[in-house]
Amino acid sequence: VVDVFDRYPTPFGLVRFGVAPDHAETKLVTNKFHETLTTRDDIRFYGNVQLGRDVSVGELYDGYHGVILAYGSSGDRTLDVPGEAELEGVMSAREFVAWFNGDPEHGPESATHNAVVRA
């Protein structure tokens, strides 16, 4: 049996909320994940489970033969450009992608009506 834990209530948290919309090919992996979760009785999904809050790494090691920790970045890399930290409305790519994809932690209260993106 394989148990999949995600801190979000829905599966595919990192792909759903952490991959930019212009990376459609990467997001296609959710189709395979969905098929696997819905057709295999030996794979179970548990949502709203946060490592360190709801279960410890030690508990996982004690309860399973193998443990894989797969996660995205919870922090940002700064560019060290003037105004990056002080100016209102400046956000990192990670924050913007999470907001754009509907990450519950970056909900409507953090939304603005304007966005300027420069490459």
Side-chain angles (χ1 to χ4, degrees):
V1 173
V2 173
D3 290 338
V4 177
F5 298 93
D6 200 314
R7 72 182 177 122
Y8 293 107
T10 55
F12 330 129
L14 181 58
V15 176
R16 182 184 307 262
F17 300 119
V19 175
D22 60 329
H23 295 277
E25 289 293 319
T26 302
K27 286 185 168 264
L28 286 176
V29 74
T30 59
N31 296 336
K32 186 63 176 170
F33 290 164
H34 182 266
E35 176 188 331
T36 302
L37 285 174
T38 57
T39 61
R40 305 263 316 253
D41 292 334
D42 58 343
I43 300 180
R44 304 178 297 199
F45 173 79
Y46 296 95
N48 281 327
V49 178
Q50 188 169 329
L51 187 63
R53 181 191 72 195
D54 302 308
V55 64
S56 70
V57 173
E59 289 172 311
L60 293 176
Y61 284 144
D62 291 344
Y64 295 92
H65 294 288
V67 174
I68 297 172
L69 301 175
Y71 47 88
S73 174
S74 61
D76 301 311
R77 291 178 57 190
T78 60
L79 299 175
D80 295 323
V81 295
E84 180 180 16
E86 309 79 48
L87 293 175
E88 183 180 341
V90 174
M91 65 177 66
S92 69
R94 183 191 61 81
E95 289 176 302
F96 179 79
V97 167
W99 168 79
F100 190 88
N101 286 336
D103 183 327
E105 294 179 3
H106 295 83
E109 67 279 352
S110 67
T112 65
H113 295 287
N114 302 301
V116 176
V117 181
R118 295 183 188 224

